[in-house]
Amino acid sequence: MDKTAWHPAGPAPAARLNPAPQHALLYVDDVTLEYATPKRTVQATRKVSFEVDASDRFVLLGPSGCGKSTLLKAIAGFVRPTEGQIRLDGAAIRAPGPDRIVVFQEFDQLPPWKTVRQNVAFPLLASRSVGKHEAYDRADHYLEKVGLADFARAYPHMLSGGMKQRVAIARALAMQPKVLLMDEPFAALDALTRRKMQEELLALWEEVHFTLLFVTHSIEEALLIGNRILLLSPHPGRVRAEISAHRFGLHSQGGADFQATAARIHRLLFEHDHEPAQRREAA
Ligand SMILES: Nc1ncnc2c1ncn2[C@@H]1O[C@H](COP(=O)(O)OP(=O)(O)OP(=O)(O)O)[C@@H](O)[C@H]1O
Ligand SMILES: [Mg+2]
């Protein structure tokens, strides 16, 4: 709202008296996604709908091939829906933009000839959204947040897989996107490093409260990372259920409630082929 437009002595604007209803940040509305191959059309998702609120840690969970990555690519603007619409902050998504940044599973997301600091600052400089000084300030800020301030002048080949993912996360957050998209970012890490990265991501979220859309096919990871989890059916992906995971955190793994919810998710994903296609659980 333009604050200068309302004079304190004048009548209050209507929006102040009747606050507008809260709208979700991201709407995915009846989205069908397809790939045209030379022989046939492959349907990746079928009529998928969900909403993500600001500061959600929203997880897409489903078996291999159910269209999780394709959905993320569609939100990033790389794949156009054949049916339905995706809206971010009120605007239809038609192309990639700096308001949506993706962190992938692969460790080779960083140009090897740039230092860590240059890697983090690079997209900011390329997007011309800020000047050089601000870009490097932000790079330093987010490198510190992911615990890599001491490696700012190192090159990617000098880093472990986990450290490279930290750089990728710092680079993404430095862009201050409206939504951070993560596609199985820790799947290629060993179990201990993966666990540490999950902890760090949650600690970072506690500090920055960014909006996260996180893809995984691990039920445990979904429960640890997410506050909301969307379950997708096997190929082609349709919404099977939405689960609330607000009450779970790093401390809950192994607890009875955690295990029971994990078992329920497993059943919903794999054993309920005769259930209605979509249902919402107020767990
Ligand atoms: N470039 C492509 N061309 C044709 N079909 C594709 C292409 N990319 C993905 N697909 C197909 O679309 C479907 C969904 O793929 P997608 O990669 O989105 O699944 P996913 O849920 O991310 O799987 P995973 O958990 O294995 O990463 C699959 O059947 C896949 O074979
Ligand atoms: Mg995938």
Side-chain angles (χ1 to χ4, degrees):
M1 189 171 77
D2 179 5
K3 287 186 181 133
T4 57
W6 177 49
H7 193 278
R16 293 221 167 185
L17 297 172
N18 301 307
Q22 290 294 303
H23 293 294
L25 177 68
L26 176 73
Y27 285 94
V28 173
D29 193 11
D30 255 351
V31 165
T32 298
L33 297 165
E34 293 175 342
Y35 292 99
T37 67
K39 284 196 179 148
R40 64 193 184 101
T41 300
V42 179
Q43 203 166 61
T45 68
R46 188 177 293 166
K47 287 185 164 291
V48 167
S49 298
F50 61 90
E51 296 174 13
V52 178
D53 293 321
S55 298
D56 262 343
R57 287 172 281 118
F58 196 94
V59 174
L60 298 178
L61 175 67
S64 185
C66 76
K68 304 181 295 295
S69 295
T70 310
L71 261 171
L72 221 70
K73 283 178 198 158
I75 293 163
F78 297 119
V79 176
R80 291 286 289 272
T82 43
E83 193 185 355
Q85 203 191 39
I86 305 176
R87 276 178 296 131
L88 180 66
D89 221 0
I93 286 173
R94 297 184 207 285
D99 53 356
R100 286 149 287 142
I101 306 291
V102 194
V103 173
F104 296 99
Q105 175 181 329
E106 296 77 22
F107 299 150
D108 56 3
Q109 305 167 45
L110 310 170
W113 58 88
K114 290 184 190 296
T115 64
V116 162
R117 189 168 185 255
Q118 287 166 341
N119 258 291
V120 176
F122 175 68
L124 273 170
L125 294 169
S127 72
R128 295 175 194 273
S129 49
V130 299
K132 202 169 171 181
H133 194 75
E134 165 82 12
Y136 281 103
D137 269 0
R138 272 207 223 167
D140 292 338
H141 177 76
Y142 284 98
L143 279 172
E144 211 237 296
K145 290 247 175 288
V146 298
L148 285 180
D150 291 345
F151 290 84
R153 279 166 184 79
Y155 287 88
H157 75 270
M158 300 156 82
L159 307 180
S160 69
M163 290 159 93
K164 284 182 196 168
Q165 286 308 70
R166 283 195 195 99
V167 178
I169 294 169
R171 184 178 60 172
L173 287 177
M175 291 292 287
Q176 299 182 341
K178 286 180 182 157
V179 57
L180 174 62
L181 307 167
M182 299 186 103
D183 193 353
E184 309 217 36
F186 311 142
L189 298 169
D190 64 87
L192 286 179
T193 311
R194 182 177 189 166
R195 173 70 189 197
K196 191 151 194 321
M197 294 296 294
Q198 291 165 344
E199 286 171 13
E200 286 180 9
L201 183 67
L202 287 176
L204 210 52
W205 183 88
E206 286 296 339
E207 237 182 286
V208 187
H209 275 65
F210 49 89
T211 307
L212 175 64
L213 188 61
F214 189 100
V215 162
T216 183
H217 58 244
S218 158
I219 295 175
E220 291 211 330
E221 184 167 68
L223 284 169
L224 286 178
I225 296 291
N227 65 338
R228 296 164 65 195
I229 305 173
L230 194 78
L231 307 188
L232 294 169
S233 70
H235 173 82
R238 277 154 293 176
V239 174
R240 190 148 270 185
E242 187 183 317
I243 300 272
S244 166
H246 281 95
R247 66 191 183 283
F248 300 120
L250 292 163
H251 53 279
S252 356
Q253 206 172 5
D257 189 12
F258 186 94
Q259 297 293 357
T261 307
R264 195 169 81 243
I265 290 177
H266 193 275
R267 280 197 300 279
L268 282 165
L269 282 177
F270 298 109
E271 294 170 19
H272 280 229
D273 287 338
H274 309 298
E275 290 280 313
Q278 184 166 354
R279 65 154 128 160
R280 198 181 170 105
E281 295 218 337

